Amino acid sequence: MQAKAPETVKLWDPLLRGFHWLLAAAVISAWALAKFGPAQMTLHFYAGYVVIGLLAFRLIWGVLGPRPARFASFIRGPGAVARYASRLFRREPSHFPGHNPMGALSVVAMLVLLAAQVATGLVADPEDFINTGPLASEVSSATSRLALQWHHRIAGWLEILIILHIAVIVFYLVWKRENLITPMITGWKKIVRREP
């Protein structure tokens, strides 16, 4: 139960916000280039390299960045997730200070899937002699074929997770009357400070 009134605070730092929007652009670009781009996937590879760099940044920022960006500040246990889930459908803003426990699971899932996606892309070999991953020669041909299969499979999982991410943002905006987009643009968010 929220005993305190919400306050507007500077929550998301500029680097984290930049990471979020650059990652969205790079992932959408990589996906669009894979689906609709030219047969030669050079630009798809470049988008993948941007994703690798952004993931490396996020890993560092998740340990050394400001408190709201740190993994330790938003990854919670099953009890916190269950408690938050029990209140999810209340028609009121949560004003959670940072990622809520369920949102944290989404962040971790997205980062893990993207890491797996770029790892499989680096060693994938579609046997077309053009679109071979830059590290495919470092693994066996069986491994590079398996990586290609997983690269396609993980892409489908990422599509589902991204659609779910957008649907949840719309749910919060319409049902809970809480705008999660503006804070990721401006950094400012209404929160209610909760006891640890």
Side-chain angles (χ1 to χ4, degrees):
M1 180 172 281
Q2 296 180 4
K4 301 178 181 177
E7 58 183 295
T8 303
V9 300
K10 190 75 166 177
L11 185 68
W12 304 123
D13 66 274
L15 292 178
L16 186 67
R17 297 191 323 263
F19 159 81
H20 176 272
W21 296 112
L22 287 172
L23 185 65
V27 168
I28 291 168
S29 297
W31 174 83
L33 288 163
K35 294 277 188 188
F36 310 110
Q40 189 163 351
M41 303 277 289
T42 305
L43 294 175
H44 175 80
F45 290 157
Y46 290 156
Y49 299 148
V50 170
V51 172
I52 291 171
L54 289 168
L55 290 176
F57 162 78
R58 187 62 184 101
L59 184 61
I60 293 166
W61 212 237
V63 176
L64 302 176
R67 188 177 185 287
R70 292 183 193 166
F71 299 126
S73 76
F74 65 83
I75 296 176
R76 308 260 192 315
V81 173
R83 281 189 300 279
Y84 188 83
S86 71
R87 301 186 306 265
L88 181 63
F89 292 98
R90 290 184 184 171
R91 194 151 197 186
E92 60 188 28
S94 66
H95 295 305
F96 209 86
H99 292 296
N100 67 61
M102 292 181 72
L105 292 177
S106 175
V107 169
V108 171
M110 186 79 71
L111 295 175
V112 167
L113 282 178
L114 285 171
Q117 184 70 341
V118 295
T120 56
L122 287 170
V123 298
D125 183 358
E127 295 186 306
D128 63 2
F129 305 106
I130 299 172
N131 298 313
T132 303
L135 301 178
S137 62
E138 304 300 319
V139 299
S140 69
S141 60
T143 299
S144 63
R145 301 301 178 281
L146 184 61
L148 181 65
Q149 292 172 12
W150 276 103
H151 195 69
H152 291 298
R153 188 172 293 140
I154 294 167
W157 296 344
L158 281 167
E159 287 175 14
I160 292 167
L161 193 56
I162 290 166
I163 290 167
L164 183 61
H165 179 67
I166 293 167
V168 167
I169 290 168
V170 171
F171 167 77
Y172 269 75
L173 187 61
V174 173
W175 181 257
K176 295 180 79 64
R177 297 180 295 267
E178 183 173 5
N179 184 337
L180 299 178
I181 300 167
T182 301
M184 196 48 74
I185 296 170
T186 66
W188 292 90
K189 184 178 186 216
K190 284 186 179 181
I191 70 163
V192 171
R193 297 189 190 275
R194 289 162 169 81
E195 299 301 322

